[in-house]
Amino acid sequence: MQDPPIARGFRGKRPPPTANDRIPPGQHLTHDFPVLSAGPTPTLRLESWSFALQAGGALLGKWSWSEFEALPQTQVKVDIHCVTTWSKLDTTWQGVTIDTLLEVAGISEPPQPYAMLHCDGGYTTNVPVADLLAGKAMIATRYEGKPLSPEHGGPARLLVPHLYFWKSAKWVRRLRFIEHDEPGFWESLGYHLYGDPWREQRYAGD
Ligand SMILES: Nc1nc2c(c(=O)[nH]1)N[C@H]1C(S)=C(S)[C@@H](COP(=O)(O)O)O[C@H]1N2
Ligand SMILES: [Mo]
């Protein structure tokens, strides 16, 4: 069959991205929101919650819940990719970007190039600082317009959607800058140190 005539100029246009172009290799689309936690969901009162930025032993910034809620908020709509092979498109989140936190803390240059995220319950994960800046990551407190539910990391979790979702640390309480990259919880059990879903970096050596 012959193609219908197409006006000059239309041929070269890039088609709008389809859902397929947004699913990394080895992943499949899901519409529900599975819960994946290595341990029990921690419970705490918001009055005892805080979020801290740390470098070595030094405290660079610390916010109570009400202070954190008063910080400039950012909303994003992003795709998320779990290493257990589900991907979910167009999830909407609200929170405070890491850029904003550094700015508010008066930090113009990150003191060290890597970060370790520490959570209630003891979970940790490592991310290069560059992957947390330029709007790439936030401490999220809302999902689909509602407070983040405890099983999904409420009151607050890291959201770093361009890496496998295990990097998006739930119940996060502390970002610690470090000089050299170190494995966190899953990374020390054989998962990839970086975890780019588009390069299928699932396990160490991928
Ligand atoms: N503190 C903490 N954060 C965590 C985890 C965890 O076990 N503890 N699991 C990780 C993994 S493996 C995934 S896939 C996502 C799952 O997030 P969800 O339960 O909201 O889907 O959280 C990540 N963050
Ligand atoms: Mo995961």
Side-chain angles (χ1 to χ4, degrees), residues 28-204:
H28 69 271
L29 195 58
T30 186
H31 292 285
D32 47 34
F33 195 175
V35 171
L36 283 112
S37 304
T41 295
T43 50
L44 89 167
R45 293 172 309 119
L46 288 179
E47 304 87 81
S48 47
W49 185 90
S50 60
F51 186 78
L53 284 182
Q54 212 184 306
L59 191 62
L60 304 179
K62 189 174 181 178
W63 297 269
S64 69
W65 180 255
S66 55
E67 289 166 342
F68 199 84
E69 285 281 90
L71 294 175
Q73 302 282 312
T74 300
Q75 292 177 1
V76 294
K77 186 193 264 195
V78 293
D79 303 340
I80 55 180
H81 312 289
C82 174
V83 74
T84 62
T85 76
W86 57 264
S87 289
K88 193 168 167 58
L89 304 183
D90 292 327
T91 60
T92 60
W93 305 81
Q94 182 186 311
V96 180
T97 63
I98 308 301
D99 307 284
T100 296
L101 286 178
L102 292 193
E103 196 185 317
V104 172
I107 303 164
S108 50
E109 279 292 312
Q112 277 102 27
Y114 295 95
M116 187 68 78
L117 285 304
H118 295 263
C119 305
D120 277 324
Y123 187 87
T124 54
T125 192
N126 58 303
V127 184
V129 173
D131 288 86
L132 298 175
L133 301 180
K136 288 187 177 147
M138 64 161 60
I139 305 297
T141 56
R142 304 277 189 291
Y143 173 71
E144 307 292 353
K146 297 193 200 74
L148 195 54
S149 66
E151 65 270 24
H152 285 300
R157 77 183 297 167
L158 181 70
L159 176 69
V160 53
H162 69 286
L163 300 179
Y164 278 123
F165 208 39
W166 87 75
K167 297 286 183 180
S168 291
K170 304 196 279 190
W171 316 298
V172 70
R173 293 288 299 275
R174 196 152 54 94
L175 188 165
R176 188 168 58 92
F177 292 100
I178 51 181
E179 188 57 40
H180 303 285
D181 204 6
E182 288 170 27
F185 177 78
W186 284 120
E187 296 84 4
S188 63
L189 292 170
Y191 283 85
H192 199 276
L193 214 49
Y194 182 64
D196 179 349
W198 294 98
R199 289 187 278 167
E200 238 187 316
Q201 295 173 337
R202 299 176 191 275
Y203 309 106

